[in-house]
Amino acid sequence: EVTTHTVAPQRIELTTELPGRAAPFLIAEIRPQVSGLVQKRLFEEGSDVKAGQVLYQIDPAPFEATLNNAKAALGRAEATLPALRLRAERFQQALADKAVAQQDFDDADAALRQGEAEVESLKAMVEVARINLGYAKVVSPIAGRIGKSSVTDGAIVTAYQPTALATIQQLDPVYVDVHQSTNEMMRLKRRLQEGSLTRSGTSANKVQLILGDGTQYALQGTLQFSDVSVDPTTGMVTLRMVFPNPAGVLLPGMFVRAVVNEGANDKAILVPQQSVLRDPKGNAWTYLVDNESKVQRRPLTVERTFGDQWLVTSGLAPGDRVVVTGIQSLQRAQPGVVVKEVPPGADQAPAGQPPAQGPA
């Protein structure tokens, strides 16, 4: 007595789990743009900051003095311009009346142009001094969570120094970078081209996330892109995904597993796992029951598990009846033995009979 499973094609959604790590959506290393003395740190370490928020105050006194000096120099230069302009105009009129030499007019005109150029140069110096004064306030370029500060009040900092004062990371949303082997990527592309897998609809790029403790992340993410280069040391391609993170559950560097949608198989053949056996070489096979209730042994090609079933790619056809229970008794019988099919749950062996041990 055996129970059987009748093979019938069905539509399934295939997914794959890829390991990866979370990464900040934006990251900014804060460095001073002017040199000076840090008067005050204006944020709390580990807090959320806004774009444009002042983080450090550098002593502004030297920059204010430089700005005032540049403004004074500009004022002196602008004060000489009217006299130079009137002199050049008078020499131009006198030149028309031939009352002055051409050289005198050229000297007056050159002095005017030099004065105008000096005014423009000093205006630029005033603007630079004003910019440097603004840089005395070190502001946040992005909104996010700021880490620890590398300096304290009273520290001397230099413009564009190698060591960052602090680091800000935007954690909502976050990136998740996972890695897929080129063999798996080519296999998936080949199956899509052959038509054994199909992708359609907005769910094709949707991704689920499994956290390090095995729980599923509540929010769904989106597959953003696949890298165009392969890591020569590992043979892996990086896939980047974006996940919303309003509660801050995902942190940079956290290990996760992404469940990526490969596509849909409209004619998938699934059989229970206990119906698939392996020979000493690892080849898969199963027992079938034909129309005369005789048992046949059939080699299979299986691709992967799908829940508690095997996805079979070759060896079975719709309508085949696969033996699910009673296999141990069949392994002691000769091929072609006649069996009786019973409903699932019925007893397949006399009470007290020990189960036979089949090959692994």
Side-chain angles (χ1 to χ4, degrees):
E1 293 182 349
V2 297
T3 61
T4 60
H5 168 79
T6 302
V7 174
Q10 55 184 296
R11 176 184 172 87
I12 60 173
E13 294 284 343
L14 294 179
T15 60
T16 184
E17 287 189 12
L18 300 174
R21 292 190 182 276
F25 189 76
L26 292 176
I27 183 169
E29 293 184 341
I30 307 303
R31 288 182 172 84
Q33 293 174 279
V34 292
S35 302
L37 175 74
V38 176
Q39 287 186 328
K40 189 68 176 177
R41 173 170 63 86
L42 302 172
F43 67 91
E44 183 179 350
E45 294 175 320
S47 63
D48 292 328
V49 297
K50 299 179 180 179
Q53 179 177 333
V54 179
L55 305 177
Y56 297 92
Q57 176 63 62
I58 298 175
D59 185 8
F63 308 106
E64 291 174 349
T66 303
L67 177 59
N68 293 333
N69 187 39
K71 286 181 177 179
L74 176 61
R76 288 195 303 269
E78 289 177 336
T80 62
L81 270 185
L84 294 173
R85 189 174 291 113
L86 289 174
R87 185 170 183 269
E89 291 174 355
R90 286 196 299 266
F91 272 58
Q92 187 176 17
Q93 294 173 0
L95 180 63
D97 298 335
K98 297 183 178 181
V100 295
Q102 180 68 39
Q103 184 62 48
D104 294 333
F105 168 74
D106 291 342
D107 292 343
D109 186 62
L112 173 62
R113 293 179 182 275
Q114 183 178 356
E116 291 174 342
E118 185 177 0
V119 168
E120 293 301 321
S121 175
L122 291 172
K123 284 182 179 179
M125 292 179 62
V126 170
E127 185 62 25
V128 170
R130 184 177 291 111
I131 291 172
N132 288 335
L133 177 59
Y135 286 161
K137 292 182 177 180
V138 181
V139 301
S140 171
I142 63 172
R145 185 167 300 172
I146 193 167
K148 65 179 182 179
S149 174
S150 63
V151 297
T152 60
D153 298 351
I156 299 293
V157 295
T158 57
Y160 306 104
Q161 63 185 33
T163 304
L165 303 181
T167 301
I168 301 174
Q169 301 179 90
Q170 182 177 333
L171 303 180
D172 185 22
V174 296
Y175 287 130
V176 172
D177 294 330
V178 301
H179 307 286
Q180 184 181 38
S181 69
T182 53
N183 293 335
E184 286 295 319
M185 182 181 66
M186 297 305 297
R187 178 188 62 81
L188 177 59
K189 288 183 177 180
R190 184 168 55 251
R191 295 185 63 190
L192 290 171
Q193 292 172 353
E194 294 171 350
S196 57
L197 279 181
T198 58
R199 279 181 174 176
S200 61
T202 58
S203 62
N205 290 332
K206 296 300 181 182
V207 186
Q208 298 289 344
L209 204 63
I210 300 176
L211 303 179
D213 60 357
T215 60
Q216 182 171 322
Y217 186 59
L219 301 176
Q220 203 173 46
T222 304
L223 177 62
Q224 192 174 46
F225 73 92
S226 174
D227 204 350
V228 296
S229 59
V230 179
D231 188 337
T233 59
T234 62
M236 295 286 188
V237 176
T238 299
L239 306 180
R240 169 156 282 188
M241 304 153 190
V242 180
F243 282 85
N245 190 31
V249 176
L250 302 177
L251 299 176
M254 179 182 289
F255 176 79
V256 293
R257 287 177 292 151
V259 182
V260 182
N261 183 12
E262 291 188 358
N265 188 338
D266 296 323
K267 298 179 180 179
I269 293 180
L270 300 174
V271 296
Q273 288 189 19
Q274 64 266 33
S275 66
V276 178
L277 306 175
R278 299 275 182 177
D279 62 19
K281 295 182 178 181
N283 300 315
W285 59 277
T286 190
Y287 285 118
L288 298 183
V289 178
D290 60 17
N291 294 332
E292 298 178 355
S293 297
K294 293 182 180 180
V295 173
Q296 301 178 4
R297 178 168 169 160
R298 178 74 59 83
L300 303 177
T301 301
V302 295
E303 179 180 328
R304 63 168 75 181
T305 58
F306 190 83
D308 60 349
Q309 299 176 302
W310 277 106
L311 174 61
V312 180
T313 55
S314 66
L316 294 177
D320 288 343
R321 302 197 304 278
V322 178
V323 176
V324 178
T325 59
I327 295 177
Q328 293 178 344
S329 298
L330 292 177
Q331 290 176 315
R332 295 177 301 176
Q334 296 295 325
V337 64
V338 177
V339 296
K340 177 183 178 181
E341 297 181 61
V342 297
D347 293 335
Q348 281 93 45
Q353 179 177 334
Q357 299 295 324

